[in-house]
Amino acid sequence: MAEIVSAPAHAAARPVGLLRAASAILWKDVAAEWRSREIVSGMAVFGLLVLLLFHFTLELEVQRQPSLTAGAVWVALAFAGTLGLSRSLAREIDRGSLDGLLLAPADRSAIFFGKMGANLLFVWLAAAILLPVTSVLYNVPLLQPAVIGIVALGTLGYVSIGTLLSAMAAQARTRELLLPILLFPIIVPLLVAGAKATEAVLAGLAWAGLAPWVNIMLAFDGIFLSAAWMVFEYVVEE
């Protein structure tokens, strides 16, 4: 009888422990970023430079403005996000604290969800800076709930697979070069779907024109979030 009672209790305690450990890792990264302010500021500046390059090198005709603006936003987010992702686990390795995380009495999945949560927060903060600037620079209404929801949905899949690949590239001496080479070919469907969905919203299309791209983003998020979660433990052990 004691075994029957203790098994559900242990199963219920494991998610609580996982959530607590992941939250501790997340807030550790947030506190470190609050002290240094190097990741979010670097991502925002790099993203703004990309947007300025698009603005001055492309002629934005009125009929092409929604598509070019949507593409510029997602390219800027992808390029800027790699700066934060490359520092995700590299900072732990440089400080020698990764071994401590691996030896902690917690599920290895907590490291993944903690790091992914911190990376997602940093990307969202960078997007909160980039979207208003893009709205003014390109004269398009990006600050609307549909666009914000699309950006949040797309960055979830981007950060989930990016966190896994940053763990794979963290041990390499050329990790800043290796991460984009691994990441960008994988996220092409997500970037295309995000840009097309954003373009559909800016063009005022109905849900029928938006739904296929949103469904692609949902499928990408579900597949790669699950895959990254399952594989992450084996990646950090190597």
Side-chain angles (χ1 to χ4, degrees), residues 66-67 70-71 74 142 144 146-151 153-154 189-207 209-218:
S67 61
W74 282 94
L142 285 174
Q144 46 184 307
V147 174
I148 295 173
I150 290 169
V151 170
L153 183 63
L190 182 65
L191 293 180
V192 172
K196 290 295 185 180
T198 305
E199 179 186 354
V201 174
L202 296 178
L205 299 182
W207 172 250
L210 181 64
W213 304 112
V214 173
N215 290 335
I216 292 175
M217 296 172 73
L218 288 171

Side-chain angles (χ1 to χ4, degrees), residues 52-134:
L52 287 173
L53 288 174
F54 271 102
H55 180 71
F56 290 118
T57 56
L58 297 178
E59 295 181 2
L60 293 182
E61 301 174 1
V62 176
Q63 62 271 20
R64 297 177 60 199
Q65 197 166 19
S67 61
L68 292 177
T69 302
V73 168
W74 282 94
V75 169
L77 285 174
F79 283 1
T82 56
L83 293 181
L85 291 172
S86 65
R87 298 297 300 162
S88 178
L89 281 172
R91 184 161 55 182
E92 305 290 350
I93 294 175
D94 294 341
R95 296 175 180 176
S97 56
L98 180 60
D99 291 337
L101 290 176
L102 296 176
L103 292 173
D107 197 312
R108 299 288 172 80
S109 299
I111 302 176
F112 170 72
F113 286 112
K115 289 294 182 181
M116 192 193 77
N119 291 333
L120 189 60
L121 178 61
F122 297 155
V123 171
W124 282 350
L125 289 175
I129 299 172
L130 294 178
L131 287 180
V133 174
T134 309

